[in-house]
Amino acid sequence: MADLAPSLGRVVTPSRFAVPAKWREPVTAWLLSAPALFLMLLFLIGPMAAVLLLSFTDWQLGMDSFDFVGLANYQELVDDPVFWISLKNTLLYVAVVLPGSVIGGLAIAMLIESRPSGKSFYRTVFFLPVMASLIAMSIVWEYILHPEFGLLNMVLNLVGVAGRDWLNDPDAVVYVLAGIGVWHQLGFNMVLFMSGLMAIPKHLYEAAEMDGVSNPLSRFSLVTWPMLGPVAMFVIVITAIKAFQVFDTVHVLTKGGPGKSSEMLLLTMYHEGFEYFRTSYAAAITVVFMFFILLVTIIKTRYMEKKVHYS
């Protein structure tokens, strides 16, 4: 006991590396987040910053050095008619695919959920295009749309409608590609909407019926659609982003033709960067593409989330 007495009265001084109590939680949070932040910087922010930097240079693939040219690449974009054609076609493609696949996915989900049996079969049928390789299915669509022995023209001829050379018609090719985009996106949107429909409490429909809301359209507008708000917002944003990323079907089926009438932003970027090796110009196109993706995200965050009901 005598030996312990001096130690009981000794004051323990904190280590010079000890973290003050008020900083322990923030420091711990930053340390735990550091791996994710490092990966985000390495694989997301870093490449985006590199593309933005390249867009202000004259660098081409294989060059040892480069010079900063300011906004010269963007000025060339403004003066490039091919860029404006690809931008117009991309916006038209999004304008068709976005409402078509969202409304179609919701309608199919509601029809399947209203069936008393066979739900698994219909889910599988409509989800098959999502699981299939889009490049492989593009080859199938090429045969379906063939002007001479294509299945679509055969069916149209049976009902007395003249077929067309769908992939070589400048007035129809973007709408044909958009139709393929809707077909490919329907199953994915259907699954998301079905998960949202199954999460809606049944007692809300019972309460609406007790209040005299028996019309299916009224029940949809008063109960179903408001409760589907979070799912619908996610579906709209994801569909818009995927529509802007259209590349596979265009590259396989038309390669931007005929006469650039089906040229899309990503296809133009691919041609400039990997065929003509104009890397800095392709980087400028990529920045424009990222601007539209950022715009969709801002609209979702600033406006759409305020009108969504989270249960």
Side-chain angles (χ1 to χ4, degrees), residues 44 68-69 158 241 299:
L44 182 62
F68 284 95
V69 295
L158 290 177
I241 292 175
I299 293 174

Side-chain angles (χ1 to χ4, degrees), residues 6 8-9 26 48 113 153 176 179 282:
L8 292 175
M48 291 175 61
E113 281 299 306
N153 281 349
V176 172

Side-chain angles (χ1 to χ4, degrees), residues 31 56 166 233 271:
L31 288 176
F56 296 107
W166 300 101
M233 182 182 66
H271 287 159

Side-chain angles (χ1 to χ4, degrees), residues 17-45:
F17 300 106
V19 180
K22 65 177 181 178
W23 295 107
R24 286 176 187 170
E25 186 174 346
V27 169
T28 303
W30 279 107
L31 288 176
L32 293 174
S33 304
L37 292 174
F38 173 75
L39 293 175
M40 183 182 297
L41 179 64
L42 183 63
F43 295 108
L44 182 62
I45 300 177

Side-chain angles (χ1 to χ4, degrees), residues 8-289:
L8 292 175
R10 187 166 54 202
V11 177
V12 180
T13 58
S15 171
R16 68 177 65 181
F17 300 106
V19 180
K22 65 177 181 178
W23 295 107
R24 286 176 187 170
E25 186 174 346
V27 169
T28 303
W30 279 107
L31 288 176
L32 293 174
S33 304
L37 292 174
F38 173 75
L39 293 175
M40 183 182 297
L41 179 64
L42 183 63
F43 295 108
L44 182 62
I45 300 177
M48 291 175 61
V51 168
L52 182 62
L53 178 65
L54 282 176
S55 69
F56 296 107
T57 69
D58 63 350
W59 187 77
Q60 295 185 7
L61 192 64
M63 290 178 59
D64 297 329
S65 61
F66 59 85
D67 296 320
F68 284 95
V69 295
L71 298 175
N73 289 318
Y74 294 95
Q75 182 61 47
E76 187 176 353
L77 276 181
V78 174
D79 299 332
D80 187 1
V82 176
F83 167 74
W84 291 108
I85 292 173
S86 65
L87 179 61
K88 182 195 71 172
N89 291 337
T90 303
L91 294 176
L92 178 59
Y93 181 91
V94 174
V96 175
V97 172
L98 181 58
S101 57
V102 172
I103 296 173
L106 176 59
I108 293 172
M110 295 184 66
L111 288 173
I112 293 176
E113 281 299 306
S114 65
R115 290 186 58 85
S117 61
K119 295 181 181 180
S120 299
F121 171 76
Y122 288 104
R123 291 172 188 166
T124 303
V125 169
F126 283 103
F127 195 72
L128 279 176
V130 181
M131 297 185 293
S133 169
L134 188 55
I135 294 180
M137 295 309 300
S138 297
I139 298 174
V140 176
W141 276 104
E142 186 175 13
Y143 283 102
I144 293 176
L145 299 170
H146 195 277
E148 297 180 5
F149 53 82
L151 179 62
L152 179 58
N153 281 349
M154 288 183 182
V155 173
L156 291 176
N157 291 333
L158 290 177
V159 296
V161 178
R164 305 170 71 173
D165 190 355
W166 300 101
L167 297 178
N168 289 305
D169 188 341
D171 298 326
V173 63
V174 174
Y175 297 98
V176 172
L177 294 172
I180 297 175
V182 172
W183 166 83
H184 186 259
Q185 191 68 18
L186 271 179
F188 184 72
N189 293 347
M190 174 204 69
V191 170
L192 294 177
F193 277 123
M194 289 183 71
S195 65
L197 290 171
M198 290 186 289
I200 299 177
K202 302 300 180 184
H203 65 80
L204 295 179
Y205 293 105
E206 297 172 358
E209 190 172 355
M210 292 177 63
D211 290 338
V213 182
S214 56
N215 186 1
L217 185 59
S218 299
R219 284 190 301 173
F220 173 80
S221 60
L222 294 174
V223 179
T224 305
W225 182 246
M227 296 302 294
L228 282 177
V231 176
M233 182 182 66
F234 178 78
V235 170
I236 291 172
V237 172
I238 292 298
T239 303
I241 292 175
K242 293 186 70 173
F244 272 109
Q245 294 174 338
V246 57
F247 175 78
D248 296 351
T249 52
V250 182
H251 184 64
V252 172
L253 294 177
T254 66
K255 291 182 172 54
K260 302 294 183 181
S261 58
S262 63
E263 189 83 7
M264 302 290 177
L265 271 180
L266 287 188
L267 186 66
T268 304
M269 181 192 68
Y270 173 81
H271 287 159
E272 296 290 343
F274 298 100
E275 292 185 358
Y276 309 142
F277 300 108
R278 303 177 64 199
T279 309
S280 58
Y281 187 67
I285 299 175
T286 306
V287 172
V288 174
F289 169 76

